[in-house]
Amino acid sequence: AYRKLKALEQHLPQTNYFMDKGWLDALRDFVEAIRGGREFQGAGPLDGYHAAQITEAVLQSRENGNVALIKR
């Protein structure tokens, strides 16, 4: 499995986690929405909750080696 992963990595683009990936624009839009009194169209509390559920399931799966189900 390790060799297959290493072979696959050679075909993937390099990831640069230090570059802006739109976060600054999202933050600006959030501030403009507050100032302008309009609804923010980006991620909200429910999106954060779902992201936390996914993260918890990933950690659980990593710990026990089983598929973790996410309740809807």
Side-chain angles (χ1 to χ4, degrees):
Y2 178 77
R3 289 182 185 166
K4 288 181 181 179
L5 179 60
K6 283 298 179 187
L8 177 64
E9 283 179 349
Q10 293 176 3
H11 301 288
L12 297 174
Q14 292 293 320
T15 304
N16 181 354
Y17 291 103
F18 295 105
M19 65 182 220
D20 176 36
K21 296 183 178 175
W23 299 316
L24 188 55
D25 287 336
L27 183 58
R28 283 185 185 129
D29 186 48
F30 178 68
V31 171
E32 289 174 14
I34 293 171
R35 287 182 176 166
R38 67 174 170 81
E39 184 177 340
F40 178 61
Q41 299 299 314
L46 189 56
D47 298 307
Y49 174 71
H50 289 149
Q53 283 184 308
I54 293 168
T55 301
E56 184 178 342
V58 167
L59 294 174
Q60 181 183 28
S61 179
R62 182 183 71 179
E63 184 176 309
N64 63 27
N66 297 320
V67 174
L69 299 177
I70 300 172
K71 298 177 184 175
R72 289 184 165 213

